[in-house]
Amino acid sequence: MTQLSPTTHVAETPAHIAGNVPSGSGLTTPSLRSDLMVLTKVRITLMVAITAWVGYALGVAALGTGWDWFRLLGAMAGTSLSCMGAAVLNQAYEHDTDAMMHRTRARPIPAGRVSVAAATWLGMGLSVVGVAMLWVTTHWLAAALSAATIFSYVLIYTPMKRTSSLALLVGAAPGAAPPLIGYAAVTGTLDAAAWIAFAIMFVWQVPHFLAIAWLYREDYARGGMPMLPVIDPDGRRTFRQVLIGCLLLLPLGVAPAYLGVTGPIYMFIALILGMGFLGLGIRLTFQPTRASARLLFFGSLIYLPAVFAAMVADLA
């Protein structure tokens, strides 16, 4: 779950960088379909569904059983609906600050195309249906994890963004929950393999989001969001956190091989990807330019899916 969003400007934004809005967004009158896509953050939801699938695959490998496709579909659909619900509720809560920021003021709620009440009801409905679907089609633990994810994202992380730069770490927990939900959906429990996938996704979010926040620190300041790059004008603390995150991903990335979850092929791929990602973090530290931050952001979009794809492909 992220804060990527559309804009009224042609200039690049995190949403446009991430491919989160359709080409030309903001240049034509948005349709109901495009507004719903923005509210539910469809492309981010797709990533959430895929990472839930990764957790499910890890669970199947741990049990040594075949794939239950009905359960898998329920896990991915329930997790996706829960993510969409949380995204809508997040935007309903933040409609006032979104209106202050260039990147977000064209969102459906601050632009006046969708009311706060309607968005709230939509978000609550999607959340309830998502959790219920997980409960009925998979396991109560997966449903409970999904409910806890929605709660922490909407009622803890979202308000905390207005008061503390530590919100990044708080929000990284629900952001990394989909592999846990997928794993619990098939096993009904959580073990080391699930927590390693969670840890990789948790730590990955630090350099990923700090790159965005560094690029758009003026806009975050305009919206009253005390992100670390906003309260750290020279960037020293920001870049230190980026480097720590990239460094931690090296041992975390190869941990599945040491645990016997994957084989040596995965370990080699994860090590190469981790070193490349660390190199981008080092470049940003010593060349604190927009180009370096943008490169780190794009590198993060390659790192996570590549690591998870290699993990699933090389399950022992």
Side-chain angles (χ1 to χ4, degrees):
M1 300 181 183
T2 71
Q3 301 80 47
L4 308 187
S5 55
T7 181
T8 55
H9 298 283
V10 179
E12 63 186 5
T13 70
H16 287 91
I17 290 176
N20 237 9
V21 292
S23 177
S25 176
L27 302 181
T28 59
T29 302
S31 65
L32 176 61
R33 176 178 173 272
S34 64
D35 276 349
L36 287 174
M37 289 179 66
V38 170
L39 284 170
T40 57
K41 298 187 177 179
V42 171
R43 295 193 181 185
I44 292 172
T45 298
L46 176 60
M47 186 185 78
V48 166
I50 292 172
T51 52
W53 174 79
V54 170
Y56 192 95
L58 290 171
V60 169
L63 292 179
T65 60
W67 288 70
D68 182 335
W69 297 102
F70 175 78
R71 184 179 290 255
L72 172 61
L73 181 61
M76 295 181 68
T79 305
S80 296
L81 289 169
S82 299
C83 172
M84 289 179 175
V88 177
L89 291 172
N90 167 267
Q91 291 177 70
Y93 187 97
E94 292 188 337
H95 70 280
D96 55 342
T97 54
D98 282 350
M100 303 176 190
M101 301 169 64
H102 293 317
R103 299 181 306 107
T104 55
R105 64 188 181 187
R107 282 179 172 177
I109 304 175
R113 297 189 301 274
V114 176
S115 70
V116 174
T120 301
W121 281 111
L122 174 62
M124 291 175 62
L126 289 170
S127 299
V128 170
V129 172
V131 172
M133 182 174 291
L134 287 166
W135 187 290
V136 171
T137 63
T138 65
H139 192 275
W140 69 264
L141 180 57
L145 287 168
S146 181
T149 297
I150 296 168
F151 178 88
S152 60
Y153 183 79
V154 176
L155 297 180
I156 300 177
Y157 163 70
T158 298
M160 192 176 180
K161 285 170 63 180
R162 301 172 184 243
T163 61
S164 174
S165 63
L166 294 177
L168 169 61
L169 297 179
V170 173
L180 296 182
I181 297 172
Y183 195 93
V186 63
T187 66
T189 187
L190 298 173
D191 61 20
W195 287 112
I196 284 295
F198 169 87
I200 290 172
M201 200 165 176
F202 179 94
V203 173
W204 165 83
Q205 290 176 85
V206 175
H208 172 77
F209 288 122
L210 286 179
I212 297 172
W214 176 254
L215 279 168
Y216 301 100
R217 56 194 183 278
E218 293 87 358
D219 214 21
Y220 279 117
R222 187 177 297 110
M225 301 287 188
M227 299 292 186
L228 183 57
V230 174
I231 63 175
D232 175 40
D234 61 12
R236 284 183 293 182
R237 291 169 57 194
T238 301
F239 302 143
R240 183 165 63 245
Q241 294 302 316
V242 167
L243 282 179
I244 290 173
C246 292
L247 283 168
L248 285 176
L249 283 174
L250 285 176
L252 284 174
V254 300
Y258 282 100
L259 291 173
V261 176
T262 61
I265 295 177
Y266 164 79
M267 183 172 69
F268 175 77
I269 293 173
L271 186 61
I272 295 299
L273 288 168
M275 292 175 65
F277 197 33
L278 175 60
L280 295 179
I282 293 173
R283 170 180 167 145
L284 177 59
T285 300
F286 290 97
Q287 297 180 23
T289 63
R290 292 183 59 83
S292 295
R294 194 180 303 113
L295 191 60
L296 177 64
F297 176 79
F298 278 116
S300 71
L301 297 181
I302 295 172
Y303 174 86
L304 188 69
V307 162
F308 278 162
M311 187 183 299
V312 172
D314 197 37
L315 286 174

